[in-house]
Amino acid sequence: MVNLKDFNFQQLENYLINNGFEKFRAVQIAKWLYIKKVDSFDLMTDLSKNLRNFLKENCEINSLKLLYWEQSKIDGSIKFLWELKDKNTVETVLINEKDHKTLCVSTQVGCAVGCKFCFTTKDGLIRNLETNEIVEQYIQVQRFVGNEERISNIVYMGMGEPLANYENTKKSVQIFTDKRMVGLSNRKITISSSGIIAQIKKMYEDKEFPHVKLAVSLNAPTQSKREFLMPISQTNRLEELIKTLREIPLKPGWRITLEYVLIKGVNDTIEDAKNLVKLIKKDRNRFKVNLIPFNPYPLSEFERPEEERILAFEKVLWDNNIATFIRWSKGRDISAACGQLRKKDLLQINPV
Ligand code: SF4
């Protein structure tokens, strides 16, 4: 059995041709999968009976089972827990922004990167998600909210390091941006990486990887602090990372987002802010900084800084003309905020 949501458009066409069907059928099938979002071949009424029977016998289109969803009383964000075919689970978060909706998708079950402040990585990496499992998160949540309210933005910021699941992340971005498939704007998709230098370079050299926005988890302004918080930094050194980010080609007006989780007493001092200025001041038009106050989770060893500290840190950056935004994380009351997603058994709320 193949899952049709594992195919980019070209692959879908080739699959049909190789099995004796007309090329144009790919447009019809893509429309049913990504525009109408049907979950059964029987609903694809403009396909011939012969093709529908072939698809039923050889293909599948569904891969996620919704186990539960939970909505934040504070800001309306919704967290979804899915069961995969092998019974592993992953989470997706729908975030209500002022004028649009953003979906935060997962790319792995667990994560091997091991950031010290992150809840997701506590069980290590279990496996990569398939392309269809990444794409299906969007399709199912869009179906859940109804077609009248289009989810226009996607951030690859859920469970996992997207560039460690390179091929499936790439194919899912192709499907999301292809006008014949989901058809979202490239500038409304953001890949968030922990800063694996070789993979970032590979993505920018790869002509088939659609050019979308990049966010990098920086989290510290010096090598020693970053190494403490993000062991991956031992081999992906800060200086080399910043050099890479300076050199990659950017579309006019686009900036790289530097994510910075602020942790009390660890990386939130005025000296840290000044060191961050030193690190990026020269290229400040290339970057914007997202400050994310740490969201404590059960048994976490770190704390969230007080509001004055967060604002003081932000001020140092703005005083040096570095575009800085504080992400007062959405969905904190449902553990849907950054770094809080984790495979776990929370089935008591809104079971489906
Ligand atoms: S913050 Fe992201 S990259 Fe780091 S361990 Fe967590 S999921 Fe992995």
Side-chain angles (χ1 to χ4, degrees):
M1 278 278 174
V2 296
N3 190 308
L4 290 185
K5 290 184 186 130
D6 278 332
F7 293 147
N8 62 25
F9 194 80
Q10 186 67 57
Q11 290 170 327
L12 181 59
E13 272 187 348
N14 290 346
Y15 180 72
L16 291 166
I17 292 166
N18 292 341
N19 286 288
F21 296 99
E22 305 95 326
K23 191 173 155 179
F24 77 88
R25 297 289 183 194
V27 176
Q28 291 178 306
I29 293 174
K31 185 188 76 189
W32 287 112
L33 292 179
Y34 301 114
I35 308 298
K36 297 199 182 284
K37 303 177 188 67
V38 300
D39 59 0
S40 156
F41 292 116
D42 287 326
L43 297 171
M44 300 184 178
T45 47
D46 59 359
L47 303 185
S48 65
K49 205 159 176 226
N50 184 23
L51 175 53
R52 256 187 285 162
N53 285 341
F54 171 82
L55 294 174
K56 271 197 241 177
E57 278 163 27
N58 297 285
C59 308
E60 51 189 10
I61 47 177
N62 301 312
S63 55
L64 305 181
K65 182 174 157 205
L66 182 58
L67 288 182
Y68 89 96
W69 59 274
E70 188 179 1
Q71 183 158 32
S72 163
K73 290 186 181 63
I74 300 171
D75 55 46
S77 307
I78 306 178
K79 179 165 77 172
F80 299 86
L81 181 77
W82 313 104
E83 184 179 81
L84 310 174
K85 289 247 156 87
D86 60 5
K87 304 289 177 202
N88 274 308
T89 54
V90 286
E91 297 179 2
T92 309
V93 182
L94 180 67
I95 303 159
N96 285 323
E97 313 274 9
K98 247 188 235 143
D99 54 356
H100 66 269
K101 289 187 186 301
T102 297
L103 194 70
C104 175
V105 296
S106 294
T107 51
Q108 297 182 310
V109 183
C111 182
V113 172
C115 302
K116 276 235 174 81
F117 51 85
C118 175
F119 201 34
T120 304
T121 198
K122 299 292 175 204
D123 297 332
L125 173 67
I126 295 165
R127 74 167 172 87
N128 283 335
L129 292 191
E130 299 293 329
T131 304
N132 71 77
E133 292 165 333
I134 302 172
V135 171
E136 182 80 351
Q137 293 172 57
Y138 177 87
I139 299 298
Q140 287 227 23
V141 176
Q142 182 66 81
R143 217 187 272 144
F144 181 92
V145 296
N147 270 343
E148 313 74 54
E149 286 188 275
R150 192 171 197 223
I151 303 166
S152 57
N153 293 50
I154 296 180
V155 290
Y156 284 72
M157 232 175 249
M159 297 164 73
E161 160 57 61
L163 296 183
N165 184 9
Y166 186 88
E167 289 303 327
N168 292 325
T169 293
K170 169 176 154 182
K171 226 185 311 163
S172 67
V173 175
Q174 290 172 335
I175 292 168
F176 286 138
T177 54
D178 194 313
K179 297 274 176 287
R180 298 158 297 186
M181 300 180 117
V182 179
L184 297 179
S185 160
N186 290 44
R187 71 194 157 79
K188 298 202 168 167
I189 296 181
T190 303
I191 303 273
S192 176
S193 171
S194 57
I196 308 175
I197 296 168
Q199 295 299 89
I200 292 174
K201 286 184 178 164
K202 181 176 170 184
M203 178 171 80
Y204 279 89
E205 282 161 11
D206 186 344
K207 300 269 179 296
E208 288 175 5
F209 204 123
H211 201 144
V212 292
K213 293 202 161 167
L214 175 67
V216 172
S217 298
L218 195 71
N219 300 322
T222 60
Q223 176 62 29
S224 58
K225 285 206 179 188
R226 191 159 192 269
E227 226 174 278
F228 167 71
L229 287 172
M230 304 179 74
I232 194 177
S233 197
Q234 288 162 13
T235 44
N236 292 267
R237 298 185 67 80
L238 182 60
E239 200 182 323
E240 179 66 20
L241 175 63
I242 295 293
K243 182 171 176 283
T244 303
L245 299 182
R246 272 192 197 122
E247 289 169 358
I248 54 178
L250 290 183
K251 291 203 172 175
W254 286 25
R255 290 179 192 233
I256 298 167
T257 303
L258 298 176
E259 309 276 356
Y260 194 108
V261 176
L262 276 170
I263 304 172
K264 185 174 176 176
V266 176
N267 63 357
D268 67 336
T269 64
I270 295 299
E271 194 194 339
D272 289 320
K274 287 182 179 165
N275 282 335
L276 181 54
V277 170
K278 251 189 247 160
L279 189 69
I280 60 173
K281 195 173 176 181
K282 213 163 64 166
D283 308 279
R284 58 177 161 239
N285 294 333
R286 260 195 160 239
F287 299 118
K288 67 174 178 175
V289 175
N290 263 355
L291 297 175
I292 307 156
F294 176 69
N295 296 300
Y297 51 80
L299 304 179
S300 73
E301 58 185 298
F302 298 121
E303 288 174 58
R304 184 184 180 91
E306 293 80 22
E307 198 169 321
E308 315 82 77
R309 258 174 111 99
I310 299 168
L311 295 174
F313 195 100
E314 183 199 25
K315 185 171 182 309
V316 174
L317 299 183
W318 272 118
D319 286 349
N320 286 278
N321 298 317
I322 293 171
T324 307
F325 304 91
I326 302 174
R327 246 187 24 223
W328 303 105
S329 284
K330 309 258 180 184
R332 282 175 65 200
D333 58 327
I334 55 168
S335 296
C338 200
Q340 290 186 322
L341 301 186
R342 190 179 182 192
K343 178 173 108 54
K344 56 183 175 176
D345 304 312
L346 279 174
L347 303 177
Q348 72 278 31
I349 303 161
N350 300 320
V352 180

